[in-house]
PDB file of all heavy atoms in Angstrom:
ATOM      1  N   GLU A 198      96.720 128.322  94.326  1.00 98.00           N
ATOM      2  CA  GLU A 198      95.499 129.103  94.047  1.00 98.00           C
ATOM      3  C   GLU A 198      95.246 129.128  92.537  1.00 98.00           C
ATOM      4  O   GLU A 198      95.416 130.161  91.864  1.00 98.00           O
ATOM      5  CB  GLU A 198      95.617 130.470  94.694  1.00 98.00           C
ATOM      6  CG  GLU A 198      95.808 130.322  96.193  1.00 98.00           C
ATOM      7  CD  GLU A 198      95.622 131.576  97.000  1.00 98.00           C
ATOM      8  OE1 GLU A 198      95.065 132.559  96.477  1.00 98.00           O
ATOM      9  OE2 GLU A 198      96.046 131.580  98.183  1.00 98.00           O
ATOM     10  N   HIS A 478      96.826 130.185 105.879  1.00 98.00           N
ATOM     11  CA  HIS A 478      96.622 130.558 104.476  1.00 98.00           C
ATOM     12  C   HIS A 478      97.966 130.579 103.766  1.00 98.00           C
ATOM     13  O   HIS A 478      99.004 130.725 104.397  1.00 98.00           O
ATOM     14  CB  HIS A 478      95.916 131.912 104.378  1.00 98.00           C
ATOM     15  CG  HIS A 478      94.434 131.757 104.533  1.00 98.00           C
ATOM     16  ND1 HIS A 478      93.533 132.302 103.645  1.00 98.00           N
ATOM     17  CD2 HIS A 478      93.713 131.077 105.461  1.00 98.00           C
ATOM     18  CE1 HIS A 478      92.310 131.975 104.041  1.00 98.00           C
ATOM     19  NE2 HIS A 478      92.390 131.234 105.147  1.00 98.00           N
ATOM     20  N   GLU A 479      97.930 130.366 102.437  1.00 98.00           N
ATOM     21  CA  GLU A 479      99.149 130.149 101.660  1.00 98.00           C
ATOM     22  C   GLU A 479     100.015 129.116 102.393  1.00 98.00           C
ATOM     23  O   GLU A 479     101.186 129.340 102.697  1.00 98.00           O
ATOM     24  CB  GLU A 479      99.930 131.455 101.429  1.00 98.00           C
ATOM     25  CG  GLU A 479      99.188 132.487 100.597  1.00 98.00           C
ATOM     26  CD  GLU A 479      98.138 133.238 101.405  1.00 98.00           C
ATOM     27  OE1 GLU A 479      98.444 133.563 102.568  1.00 98.00           O
ATOM     28  OE2 GLU A 479      97.035 133.480 100.904  1.00 98.00           O
ATOM     29  N   GLU A 497      94.049 127.094 103.870  1.00 98.00           N
ATOM     30  CA  GLU A 497      93.550 127.478 102.558  1.00 98.00           C
ATOM     31  C   GLU A 497      94.233 126.546 101.558  1.00 98.00           C
ATOM     32  O   GLU A 497      93.935 125.366 101.544  1.00 98.00           O
ATOM     33  CB  GLU A 497      93.858 128.963 102.345  1.00 98.00           C
ATOM     34  CG  GLU A 497      93.240 129.572 101.125  1.00 98.00           C
ATOM     35  CD  GLU A 497      93.892 130.896 100.801  1.00 98.00           C
ATOM     36  OE1 GLU A 497      95.122 131.016 100.938  1.00 98.00           O
ATOM     37  OE2 GLU A 497      93.178 131.824 100.397  1.00 98.00           O
ATOM     38  N   GLU A 503      87.939 134.377  98.301  1.00 98.00           N
ATOM     39  CA  GLU A 503      88.469 135.725  98.068  1.00 98.00           C
ATOM     40  C   GLU A 503      88.635 136.055  96.577  1.00 98.00           C
ATOM     41  O   GLU A 503      88.446 137.194  96.187  1.00 98.00           O
ATOM     42  CB  GLU A 503      89.829 135.882  98.793  1.00 98.00           C
ATOM     43  CG  GLU A 503      90.896 134.939  98.279  1.00 98.00           C
ATOM     44  CD  GLU A 503      92.183 134.984  99.095  1.00 98.00           C
ATOM     45  OE1 GLU A 503      92.109 135.202 100.306  1.00 98.00           O
ATOM     46  OE2 GLU A 503      93.261 134.775  98.508  1.00 98.00           O
TER      47      GLU A 503
HETATM   48 CA1   CA B  17      95.048 133.231  99.708  1.00 87.25          CA
END
Side-chain angles (χ1 to χ4, degrees):
E198 301 193 16
H478 278 231
E479 296 79 40
E497 189 195 39
E503 62 187 33

